[in-house]
Each structure stands twice: as structure tokens, then as C-alpha cells.
Amino acid sequence: MTMTPQQIELVKSTVPVLRENGVTLTSYFYKRMLSNNPDLKNVFNMDSQTSGRQPRALAAAVLAYAEHIENPAALAKAVERMTTKHVSLDIQPDQYSIVGENLLHSISEVLDVPFESDLIEAWKQAYLQLADILIGVEKQKYQALAAKEGGWAGWRGFEIANIENSDAGQLFTVKASDQQATIPAVAGQFISVKVKVPGHDLHQPHQFVLSNDQDQTYQFLVKPEENRTEFSVSNILLDHYAVGDRVELSAPLSK
Ligand code: HEM
């Protein structure tokens, strides 16, 4: 459904208030979403959660989109960046309705307007437009990855084949558990690695940069994180993972 000029005006006129209350908006949004959908704790990085970086990034992107709603092409670069990140984390279309619902409730809360109102309906249309764009681009990226020789979309099981100590950290080498081909990767591309968090019924993903041009195995350097928490993927890998253990990887992507 295309937005009416009135809806566009409603959305644009409330962006400044939402931006001013950005911290309230994002913290309310995340708390609400994660308490209603605890499964998503496996998707979001609980580390950056705490620092609030990610919640701000998502809401800020929605607000930026709303500002440029008559000229979405202005956001092409941002769309490229968001969709690359999302694809590396296996974000799926059905998750957009969860984010949307929680975001709209948060907007209604911060602006102190009823959920059933023209204003929230206008924001809903704006969100749906952006979600459609992202879902469409992500679908193409998943298809392109799956179509490559040795490629895959989403997560794939890998085994830790070697761990080498170095001054900078530990160099992990991983190979696909199914012994099948994997896409050749170029140094500087990145992958997401998903691990089980010890002592929690929880998985956490984190991105690592690949070290060399690689064929059939991938290598990445794991450095201890300074502000470590029990959810720090690097520290979990360094402290709890050994050769032979299994992790999950998303396919190599360029930033
Ligand atoms: C219109 C909706 C959405 C917008 C505008 C949006 C925007 C963003 C932005 C700007 C980033 C940061 C990108 C970067 O680091 O370069 C991000 C990352 C991320 N998004 Fe989204 N996103 C949306 C929907 C979703 C959905 C549906 C999910 C899954 C439930 C999701 C999960 C994530 C995750 C897990 C990250 C990485 C966060 C981290 O670093 O832990 N996003 N998103």
C-alpha cells in the first residue's frame, strides 16, 4: 500500500520528537521486544545490547528512512550495509513483523498517542515500506550466496580444525562439518560465527574478519575482548572451544 500525502506528513512531523527521545525509544523498544520474544536473544548481540549501540542503530535507521521517505534512493548505501549485516546473521522476513510491532508500540508510547490512531497507522506504512525494501534485497543476497559453488544461505556447521597461538590472539581454522565444498574467501571478507554461551540456554553470533585468501577452510584471528562479559563470543571461543568442537558459520561477505 502506498502512503497518502497526509501519512507522509504525519510521519515526517514526528521524526524530530522521536529523535530527541531516541534513548527512551530504543531502550523501551528492546526491552519490550526481548521480553515478548526471548528467542531473539539468540539473534541480537547481548554484549552490544548492554552498551546500547545496536538498539540505537536500528531505530536511527528507521528514523533516517522516515525523513527521506519521499526519496528512499538517498538511503541506498545504508540499505547495502544493513542488508549485508542482516544476511550475515540469517535475519528472516517473519522477524520483521516482530520488530515492526514492537517498534510501533514503542513509538506510540514515546509520542503518547493511542496505538489505534492515524499517526501509528502512518508509521506502520512507513515501516512496512522499509521492511519490504530490506527483505527484497536480503532475499537476493541469500539466493546469490546459495547459488555459488560451495555456497550457502544462513548457518552451516563447521568444525574447529586448528588453533594457533600468536601475540595478537589465537588463529582459528575451521572446515565445513559436511566435508563439502565451501566458497573461496578473500582476505578482508567477514563471516559470522555462532557459539553456545556456556551456562545459558543461548547462542550468540559475532563477526570475524578472514585472514587469508582461503579455499575449503577459513581462518580468523580471535582476540580477547577488553570489556568482556559472559556473552563475549571471542572470549567464549578462547576459553571454552577446542579443536574438534563445532561452531556455525554464515558465508563470507564483503563489508
Ligand atoms: C526495518 C527494519 C530494520 C532496520 C531499519 C534495521 C536496521 C539495522 C541497522 C542500521 C543495523 C546496524 C548495521 C551495522 O552494524 O552496520 C542493524 C543490525 C542488526 N539488525 Fe537490523 N534492522 C531492521 C530489522 C531487523 C530485524 C527484523 C532483525 C531480526 C529480528 C534485525 C536484527 C539485527 C541484528 C541482530 C543486527 C546486528 C546487531 C548487533 O551488532 O548485535 N534487524 N539493523
Side-chain angles (χ1 to χ4, degrees):
M1 202 164 82
T2 50
M3 293 175 74
T4 65
Q6 289 85 346
Q7 285 182 318
I8 291 178
E9 205 35 57
L10 273 176
V11 163
K12 281 172 63 177
S13 66
T14 44
V15 169
V17 190
L18 290 169
R19 183 158 283 148
E20 258 170 52
N21 295 284
V23 177
T24 319
L25 176 71
T26 51
S27 49
Y28 183 91
F29 161 60
Y30 265 71
K31 263 192 214 126
R32 187 180 200 281
M33 182 168 73
L34 294 181
S35 79
N36 289 344
N37 306 275
D39 261 10
L40 288 183
K41 290 183 184 170
N42 294 292
V43 177
F44 286 95
N45 187 319
M46 301 311 284
D47 252 358
S48 41
Q49 252 335 298
T50 342
S51 67
R53 183 179 57 78
Q54 155 56 21
R56 275 202 294 279
L58 201 161
V62 173
L63 296 184
Y65 172 77
E67 262 179 350
H68 295 276
I69 197 144
E70 285 144 311
N71 179 22
L75 294 167
K77 252 197 186 147
V79 167
E80 181 56 29
R81 202 183 129 111
M82 287 184 251
T83 54
T84 301
K85 186 79 171 228
H86 285 164
V87 165
S88 82
L89 291 161
D90 195 27
I91 303 306
Q92 293 296 325
D94 57 336
Q95 293 172 322
Y96 277 86
S97 33
I98 301 174
V99 164
E101 210 227 81
N102 286 287
L103 189 65
L104 293 171
H105 274 283
S106 310
I107 292 176
S108 126
E109 189 72 19
V110 169
L111 295 178
D112 198 19
V113 292
F115 191 72
E116 304 293 334
S117 59
D118 290 346
L119 180 57
I120 300 303
E121 180 56 31
W123 269 102
K124 181 176 174 185
Q125 295 312 321
Y127 175 83
L128 287 176
Q129 271 190 15
L130 176 56
D132 265 4
I133 295 173
L134 298 182
I135 290 170
V137 175
E138 284 159 23
K139 188 173 169 199
Q140 286 170 10
K141 290 188 196 264
Y142 286 124
Q143 282 172 350
L145 282 173
K148 283 190 186 168
E149 173 88 36
W152 72 100
W155 300 107
R156 181 167 169 186
F158 276 72
E159 200 184 284
I160 298 172
N162 191 36
I163 302 177
E164 205 179 297
N165 281 317
S166 82
D167 289 345
Q170 291 185 345
L171 190 63
F172 277 63
T173 305
V174 295
K175 63 168 197 279
S177 305
D178 59 17
Q179 313 286 336
Q180 302 296 306
T182 49
I183 326 178
V186 187
Q189 283 189 309
F190 74 95
I191 41 146
S192 290
V193 177
K194 192 160 72 168
V195 300
K196 159 106 180 55
V197 180
H200 291 267
D201 188 14
L202 194 70
H203 286 80
Q204 283 284 274
H206 188 70
Q207 284 82 45
F208 293 94
V209 176
L210 296 172
S211 319
N212 302 311
D213 292 359
Q214 291 142 12
D215 204 6
Q216 307 313 322
T217 60
Y218 298 126
Q219 273 187 352
F220 51 94
L221 186 67
V222 184
K223 295 180 257 187
E225 282 164 47
E226 276 177 24
N227 301 318
R228 59 181 299 161
T229 71
E230 55 189 332
F231 304 110
S232 308
V233 174
S234 297
N235 293 101
I236 293 171
L237 281 170
L238 295 172
D239 297 345
H240 297 278
Y241 276 75
V243 169
D245 286 346
R246 196 184 140 107
V247 292
E248 287 186 272
L249 253 72
S250 62
L253 290 167
S254 303
K255 276 227 163 91

Short mmCIF file of all heavy atoms in Angstrom, two decimals, residues 136-187:
data_model
loop_
_atom_site.label_atom_id
_atom_site.label_comp_id
_atom_site.label_asym_id
_atom_site.label_seq_id
_atom_site.Cartn_x
_atom_site.Cartn_y
_atom_site.Cartn_z
N GLY A 136 13.49 -7.60 0.40
CA GLY A 136 13.74 -7.86 -1.02
C GLY A 136 15.22 -7.99 -1.32
O GLY A 136 15.67 -8.93 -1.99
N VAL A 137 16.00 -7.04 -0.80
CA VAL A 137 17.45 -7.07 -1.06
C VAL A 137 18.07 -8.29 -0.38
O VAL A 137 18.94 -8.97 -0.94
CB VAL A 137 18.13 -5.76 -0.57
CG1 VAL A 137 19.64 -5.83 -0.72
CG2 VAL A 137 17.57 -4.55 -1.32
N GLU A 138 17.61 -8.58 0.83
CA GLU A 138 18.18 -9.73 1.56
C GLU A 138 17.87 -11.04 0.83
O GLU A 138 18.72 -11.93 0.74
CB GLU A 138 17.65 -9.74 3.01
CG GLU A 138 18.37 -8.68 3.85
CD GLU A 138 17.66 -8.22 5.12
OE1 GLU A 138 16.82 -8.97 5.65
OE2 GLU A 138 17.95 -7.10 5.59
N LYS A 139 16.67 -11.13 0.28
CA LYS A 139 16.30 -12.35 -0.46
C LYS A 139 17.27 -12.57 -1.63
O LYS A 139 17.75 -13.69 -1.85
CB LYS A 139 14.87 -12.20 -0.97
CG LYS A 139 14.31 -13.44 -1.58
CD LYS A 139 12.84 -13.29 -1.92
CE LYS A 139 12.41 -14.48 -2.78
NZ LYS A 139 11.19 -14.21 -3.52
N GLN A 140 17.57 -11.48 -2.34
CA GLN A 140 18.52 -11.59 -3.46
C GLN A 140 19.89 -12.04 -2.98
O GLN A 140 20.56 -12.84 -3.61
CB GLN A 140 18.68 -10.24 -4.16
CG GLN A 140 17.50 -9.86 -5.02
CD GLN A 140 17.61 -8.41 -5.50
OE1 GLN A 140 18.65 -7.77 -5.35
NE2 GLN A 140 16.53 -7.90 -6.07
N LYS A 141 20.32 -11.49 -1.85
CA LYS A 141 21.65 -11.84 -1.35
C LYS A 141 21.70 -13.31 -0.90
O LYS A 141 22.68 -13.99 -1.16
CB LYS A 141 22.05 -10.93 -0.18
CG LYS A 141 22.34 -9.49 -0.60
CD LYS A 141 22.91 -8.71 0.57
CE LYS A 141 22.87 -7.22 0.36
NZ LYS A 141 24.08 -6.60 -0.16
N TYR A 142 20.65 -13.77 -0.23
CA TYR A 142 20.62 -15.19 0.17
C TYR A 142 20.66 -16.09 -1.07
O TYR A 142 21.37 -17.10 -1.10
CB TYR A 142 19.35 -15.50 0.99
CG TYR A 142 19.36 -14.96 2.41
CD1 TYR A 142 18.36 -14.12 2.86
CD2 TYR A 142 20.37 -15.32 3.30
CE1 TYR A 142 18.35 -13.63 4.17
CE2 TYR A 142 20.38 -14.83 4.60
CZ TYR A 142 19.37 -13.99 5.03
OH TYR A 142 19.37 -13.52 6.31
N GLN A 143 19.88 -15.70 -2.08
CA GLN A 143 19.83 -16.53 -3.30
C GLN A 143 21.19 -16.56 -3.98
O GLN A 143 21.65 -17.61 -4.43
CB GLN A 143 18.75 -16.02 -4.26
CG GLN A 143 17.36 -16.45 -3.83
CD GLN A 143 16.25 -15.80 -4.65
OE1 GLN A 143 16.50 -14.87 -5.42
NE2 GLN A 143 15.03 -16.27 -4.46
N ALA A 144 21.85 -15.41 -4.03
CA ALA A 144 23.15 -15.33 -4.69
C ALA A 144 24.17 -16.19 -3.95
O ALA A 144 24.97 -16.90 -4.57
CB ALA A 144 23.62 -13.88 -4.77
N LEU A 145 24.14 -16.15 -2.62
CA LEU A 145 25.10 -16.95 -1.83
C LEU A 145 24.85 -18.44 -2.03
O LEU A 145 25.79 -19.23 -2.19
CB LEU A 145 24.99 -16.62 -0.34
CG LEU A 145 25.65 -15.32 0.12
CD1 LEU A 145 25.31 -15.05 1.58
CD2 LEU A 145 27.17 -15.39 -0.08
N ALA A 146 23.57 -18.83 -2.02
CA ALA A 146 23.23 -20.25 -2.13
C ALA A 146 23.58 -20.78 -3.52
O ALA A 146 23.89 -21.96 -3.69
CB ALA A 146 21.75 -20.45 -1.83
N ALA A 147 23.55 -19.88 -4.52
CA ALA A 147 23.78 -20.32 -5.90
C ALA A 147 25.26 -20.49 -6.20
O ALA A 147 25.62 -21.11 -7.20
CB ALA A 147 23.16 -19.31 -6.86
N LYS A 148 26.14 -19.93 -5.35
CA LYS A 148 27.59 -20.06 -5.61
C LYS A 148 28.07 -21.48 -5.38
O LYS A 148 27.54 -22.18 -4.50
CB LYS A 148 28.37 -19.14 -4.67
CG LYS A 148 28.34 -17.70 -5.08
CD LYS A 148 29.33 -16.91 -4.24
CE LYS A 148 29.20 -15.44 -4.57
NZ LYS A 148 29.91 -14.58 -3.64
N GLU A 149 29.10 -21.87 -6.11
CA GLU A 149 29.75 -23.17 -5.89
C GLU A 149 30.26 -23.21 -4.44
O GLU A 149 31.05 -22.35 -4.03
CB GLU A 149 30.93 -23.26 -6.88
CG GLU A 149 31.83 -24.45 -6.69
CD GLU A 149 31.32 -25.65 -7.46
OE1 GLU A 149 30.78 -25.46 -8.56
OE2 GLU A 149 31.47 -26.78 -6.94
N GLY A 150 29.77 -24.19 -3.67
CA GLY A 150 30.20 -24.28 -2.27
C GLY A 150 29.52 -23.25 -1.38
O GLY A 150 29.90 -23.08 -0.22
N GLY A 151 28.54 -22.57 -1.91
CA GLY A 151 27.89 -21.50 -1.15
C GLY A 151 26.74 -22.01 -0.30
O GLY A 151 26.30 -23.15 -0.45
N TRP A 152 26.27 -21.16 0.59
CA TRP A 152 25.11 -21.50 1.41
C TRP A 152 24.48 -20.23 1.95
O TRP A 152 25.13 -19.19 2.03
CB TRP A 152 25.49 -22.45 2.55
CG TRP A 152 26.28 -21.86 3.67
CD1 TRP A 152 25.82 -21.44 4.88
CD2 TRP A 152 27.71 -21.63 3.71
NE1 TRP A 152 26.84 -20.97 5.67
CE2 TRP A 152 28.02 -21.07 4.98
CE3 TRP A 152 28.76 -21.82 2.81
CZ2 TRP A 152 29.32 -20.71 5.35
CZ3 TRP A 152 30.05 -21.46 3.17
CH2 TRP A 152 30.32 -20.92 4.43
N ALA A 153 23.19 -20.34 2.30
CA ALA A 153 22.48 -19.20 2.91
C ALA A 153 22.22 -19.57 4.37
O ALA A 153 21.92 -20.72 4.67
CB ALA A 153 21.18 -18.95 2.18
N GLY A 154 22.36 -18.63 5.26
CA GLY A 154 22.10 -18.89 6.68
C GLY A 154 23.29 -19.54 7.36
O GLY A 154 24.44 -19.28 7.00
N TRP A 155 23.01 -20.44 8.31
CA TRP A 155 24.08 -21.05 9.10
C TRP A 155 24.48 -22.41 8.55
O TRP A 155 23.65 -23.14 8.01
CB TRP A 155 23.63 -21.21 10.56
CG TRP A 155 23.29 -19.90 11.20
CD1 TRP A 155 22.04 -19.42 11.51
CD2 TRP A 155 24.21 -18.87 11.61
NE1 TRP A 155 22.13 -18.16 12.08
CE2 TRP A 155 23.45 -17.81 12.16
CE3 TRP A 155 25.61 -18.74 11.57
CZ2 TRP A 155 24.02 -16.63 12.65
CZ3 TRP A 155 26.19 -17.58 12.06
CH2 TRP A 155 25.40 -16.54 12.60
N ARG A 156 25.75 -22.76 8.72
CA ARG A 156 26.26 -24.07 8.31
C ARG A 156 27.24 -24.53 9.38
O ARG A 156 28.01 -23.73 9.91
CB ARG A 156 26.96 -23.92 6.96
CG ARG A 156 27.52 -25.21 6.40
CD ARG A 156 27.88 -24.99 4.93
NE ARG A 156 28.66 -26.08 4.39
CZ ARG A 156 29.20 -26.06 3.17
NH1 ARG A 156 29.04 -25.01 2.40
NH2 ARG A 156 29.90 -27.09 2.73
N GLY A 157 27.20 -25.82 9.68
CA GLY A 157 28.06 -26.38 10.73
C GLY A 157 29.52 -26.45 10.29
O GLY A 157 29.82 -26.91 9.18
N PHE A 158 30.42 -25.99 11.12
CA PHE A 158 31.87 -26.08 10.87
C PHE A 158 32.54 -26.68 12.10
O PHE A 158 32.04 -26.57 13.21
CB PHE A 158 32.46 -24.68 10.60
CG PHE A 158 32.31 -24.24 9.18
CD1 PHE A 158 31.06 -23.88 8.68
CD2 PHE A 158 33.42 -24.18 8.34
CE1 PHE A 158 30.91 -23.48 7.36
CE2 PHE A 158 33.28 -23.79 7.01
CZ PHE A 158 32.03 -23.43 6.52
N GLU A 159 33.71 -27.28 11.83
CA GLU A 159 34.47 -27.88 12.91
C GLU A 159 35.78 -27.11 13.07
O GLU A 159 36.38 -26.71 12.06
CB GLU A 159 34.76 -29.32 12.53
CG GLU A 159 35.11 -30.21 13.68
CD GLU A 159 35.46 -31.59 13.16
OE1 GLU A 159 34.53 -32.35 12.79
OE2 GLU A 159 36.67 -31.89 13.10
N ILE A 160 36.20 -26.91 14.29
CA ILE A 160 37.48 -26.24 14.51
C ILE A 160 38.59 -27.24 14.17
O ILE A 160 38.68 -28.31 14.78
CB ILE A 160 37.62 -25.74 15.95
CG1 ILE A 160 36.50 -24.71 16.23
CG2 ILE A 160 38.99 -25.12 16.19
CD1 ILE A 160 36.40 -24.26 17.66
N ALA A 161 39.40 -26.90 13.15
CA ALA A 161 40.44 -27.83 12.67
C ALA A 161 41.79 -27.53 13.30
O ALA A 161 42.64 -28.42 13.41
CB ALA A 161 40.54 -27.73 11.15
N ASN A 162 41.99 -26.27 13.69
CA ASN A 162 43.29 -25.91 14.27
C ASN A 162 43.15 -24.60 15.05
O ASN A 162 42.35 -23.74 14.70
CB ASN A 162 44.33 -25.73 13.15
CG ASN A 162 45.74 -25.61 13.69
OD1 ASN A 162 46.09 -26.26 14.68
ND2 ASN A 162 46.54 -24.76 13.08
N ILE A 163 43.94 -24.48 16.12
CA ILE A 163 44.01 -23.21 16.85
C ILE A 163 45.49 -22.92 17.07
O ILE A 163 46.22 -23.74 17.63
CB ILE A 163 43.30 -23.28 18.22
CG1 ILE A 163 41.82 -23.67 18.05
CG2 ILE A 163 43.40 -21.93 18.95
CD1 ILE A 163 41.06 -23.83 19.36
N GLU A 164 45.93 -21.77 16.56
CA GLU A 164 47.35 -21.43 16.62
C GLU A 164 47.54 -20.19 17.47
O GLU A 164 46.86 -19.17 17.24
CB GLU A 164 47.81 -21.15 15.19
CG GLU A 164 49.26 -21.34 14.90
CD GLU A 164 49.52 -21.05 13.42
OE1 GLU A 164 48.97 -21.78 12.56
OE2 GLU A 164 50.23 -20.08 13.13
N ASN A 165 48.45 -20.26 18.43
CA ASN A 165 48.71 -19.08 19.27
C ASN A 165 49.53 -18.04 18.53
O ASN A 165 50.42 -18.39 17.77
CB ASN A 165 49.50 -19.50 20.52
CG ASN A 165 48.58 -20.13 21.54
OD1 ASN A 165 47.49 -19.62 21.78
ND2 ASN A 165 49.00 -21.23 22.13
N SER A 166 49.21 -16.80 18.75
CA SER A 166 50.08 -15.73 18.25
C SER A 166 50.01 -14.58 19.24
O SER A 166 49.17 -14.58 20.13
CB SER A 166 49.62 -15.27 16.87
OG SER A 166 48.56 -14.34 16.99
N ASP A 167 50.89 -13.60 19.07
CA ASP A 167 50.90 -12.46 20.00
C ASP A 167 49.57 -11.73 19.98
O ASP A 167 49.10 -11.22 20.99
CB ASP A 167 52.01 -11.48 19.62
CG ASP A 167 53.38 -12.06 19.93
OD1 ASP A 167 53.42 -13.07 20.68
OD2 ASP A 167 54.38 -11.53 19.43
N ALA A 168 48.97 -11.67 18.81
CA ALA A 168 47.76 -10.88 18.66
C ALA A 168 46.51 -11.60 19.16
O ALA A 168 45.47 -10.98 19.38
CB ALA A 168 47.58 -10.50 17.20
N GLY A 169 46.61 -12.90 19.34
CA GLY A 169 45.43 -13.67 19.76
C GLY A 169 45.59 -15.11 19.29
O GLY A 169 46.70 -15.60 19.17
N GLN A 170 44.47 -15.77 19.02
CA GLN A 170 44.56 -17.13 18.51
C GLN A 170 43.95 -17.21 17.12
O GLN A 170 42.86 -16.66 16.89
CB GLN A 170 43.85 -18.10 19.46
CG GLN A 170 44.60 -18.25 20.79
CD GLN A 170 43.98 -19.29 21.69
OE1 GLN A 170 42.84 -19.73 21.48
NE2 GLN A 170 44.71 -19.69 22.72
N LEU A 171 44.67 -17.88 16.24
CA LEU A 171 44.21 -18.02 14.87
C LEU A 171 43.41 -19.33 14.75
O LEU A 171 43.97 -20.41 14.90
CB LEU A 171 45.41 -18.04 13.92
CG LEU A 171 45.10 -17.94 12.44
CD1 LEU A 171 44.42 -16.61 12.10
CD2 LEU A 171 46.38 -18.11 11.61
N PHE A 172 42.12 -19.19 14.53
CA PHE A 172 41.24 -20.35 14.39
C PHE A 172 41.13 -20.76 12.92
O PHE A 172 40.91 -19.91 12.06
CB PHE A 172 39.82 -20.03 14.91
CG PHE A 172 39.67 -20.15 16.40
CD1 PHE A 172 40.39 -19.33 17.26
CD2 PHE A 172 38.79 -21.08 16.95
CE1 PHE A 172 40.24 -19.43 18.65
CE2 PHE A 172 38.62 -21.20 18.34
CZ PHE A 172 39.36 -20.37 19.19
N THR A 173 41.26 -22.06 12.65
CA THR A 173 40.99 -22.58 11.31
C THR A 173 39.77 -23.50 11.42
O THR A 173 39.73 -24.37 12.31
CB THR A 173 42.19 -23.41 10.79
OG1 THR A 173 43.36 -22.59 10.85
CG2 THR A 173 41.97 -23.86 9.36
N VAL A 174 38.80 -23.27 10.56
CA VAL A 174 37.58 -24.11 10.62
C VAL A 174 37.30 -24.72 9.26
O VAL A 174 37.65 -24.14 8.23
CB VAL A 174 36.35 -23.28 11.08
CG1 VAL A 174 36.52 -22.78 12.51
CG2 VAL A 174 36.07 -22.11 10.15
N LYS A 175 36.69 -25.91 9.26
CA LYS A 175 36.29 -26.52 7.97
C LYS A 175 34.87 -27.07 8.10
O LYS A 175 34.43 -27.43 9.20
CB LYS A 175 37.29 -27.58 7.53
CG LYS A 175 37.43 -28.78 8.44
CD LYS A 175 38.23 -29.85 7.70
CE LYS A 175 38.09 -31.21 8.33
NZ LYS A 175 38.91 -31.48 9.49
N ALA A 176 34.19 -27.12 6.97
CA ALA A 176 32.77 -27.49 6.98
C ALA A 176 32.59 -28.91 7.51
O ALA A 176 33.29 -29.83 7.09
CB ALA A 176 32.19 -27.37 5.58
N SER A 177 31.66 -29.10 8.45
CA SER A 177 31.43 -30.42 9.03
C SER A 177 30.92 -31.42 8.01
O SER A 177 31.15 -32.62 8.14
CB SER A 177 30.39 -30.33 10.16
OG SER A 177 30.77 -29.39 11.10
N ASP A 178 30.20 -30.92 6.98
CA ASP A 178 29.66 -31.85 5.98
C ASP A 178 30.71 -32.27 4.94
O ASP A 178 30.39 -33.01 4.01
CB ASP A 178 28.42 -31.24 5.30
CG ASP A 178 28.73 -29.92 4.60
OD1 ASP A 178 29.92 -29.62 4.36
OD2 ASP A 178 27.78 -29.17 4.29
N GLN A 179 31.95 -31.78 5.10
CA GLN A 179 33.06 -32.15 4.19
C GLN A 179 32.82 -31.70 2.75
O GLN A 179 33.58 -32.07 1.86
CB GLN A 179 33.31 -33.68 4.17
CG GLN A 179 33.37 -34.36 5.52
CD GLN A 179 34.66 -34.07 6.28
OE1 GLN A 179 35.68 -33.74 5.70
NE2 GLN A 179 34.61 -34.14 7.61
N GLN A 180 31.78 -30.93 2.52
CA GLN A 180 31.50 -30.48 1.15
C GLN A 180 32.27 -29.18 0.88
O GLN A 180 32.80 -28.56 1.79
CB GLN A 180 30.00 -30.24 0.98
CG GLN A 180 29.13 -31.45 1.27
CD GLN A 180 29.37 -32.61 0.32
OE1 GLN A 180 29.30 -32.45 -0.89
NE2 GLN A 180 29.70 -33.77 0.87
N ALA A 181 32.25 -28.79 -0.39
CA ALA A 181 32.98 -27.59 -0.80
C ALA A 181 32.44 -26.34 -0.10
O ALA A 181 31.27 -26.29 0.29
CB ALA A 181 32.85 -27.41 -2.31
N THR A 182 33.33 -25.37 0.10
CA THR A 182 32.92 -24.06 0.62
C THR A 182 33.42 -22.98 -0.32
O THR A 182 34.45 -23.16 -0.98
CB THR A 182 33.51 -23.81 2.02
OG1 THR A 182 34.92 -24.10 2.00
CG2 THR A 182 32.86 -24.69 3.07
N ILE A 183 32.70 -21.85 -0.38
CA ILE A 183 33.09 -20.76 -1.29
C ILE A 183 34.50 -20.27 -0.93
O ILE A 183 34.78 -20.04 0.24
CB ILE A 183 32.21 -19.50 -1.11
CG1 ILE A 183 30.78 -19.88 -0.74
CG2 ILE A 183 32.29 -18.57 -2.29
CD1 ILE A 183 29.90 -18.66 -0.50
N PRO A 184 35.36 -20.08 -1.94
CA PRO A 184 36.67 -19.47 -1.66
C PRO A 184 36.45 -18.08 -1.09
O PRO A 184 35.55 -17.36 -1.54
CB PRO A 184 37.33 -19.38 -3.03
CG PRO A 184 36.52 -20.22 -3.95
CD PRO A 184 35.16 -20.35 -3.37
N ALA A 185 37.27 -17.70 -0.11
CA ALA A 185 37.11 -16.39 0.50
C ALA A 185 38.36 -15.56 0.29
O ALA A 185 39.46 -16.09 0.13
CB ALA A 185 36.84 -16.54 1.99
N VAL A 186 38.17 -14.26 0.27
CA VAL A 186 39.26 -13.33 0.06
C VAL A 186 39.56 -12.66 1.41
O VAL A 186 38.63 -12.36 2.16
CB VAL A 186 38.82 -12.25 -0.95
CG1 VAL A 186 39.99 -11.35 -1.32
CG2 VAL A 186 38.20 -12.88 -2.17
N ALA A 187 40.86 -12.44 1.70
CA ALA A 187 41.22 -11.77 2.95
C ALA A 187 40.47 -10.46 3.08
O ALA A 187 40.33 -9.72 2.10
CB ALA A 187 42.72 -11.51 2.98
#
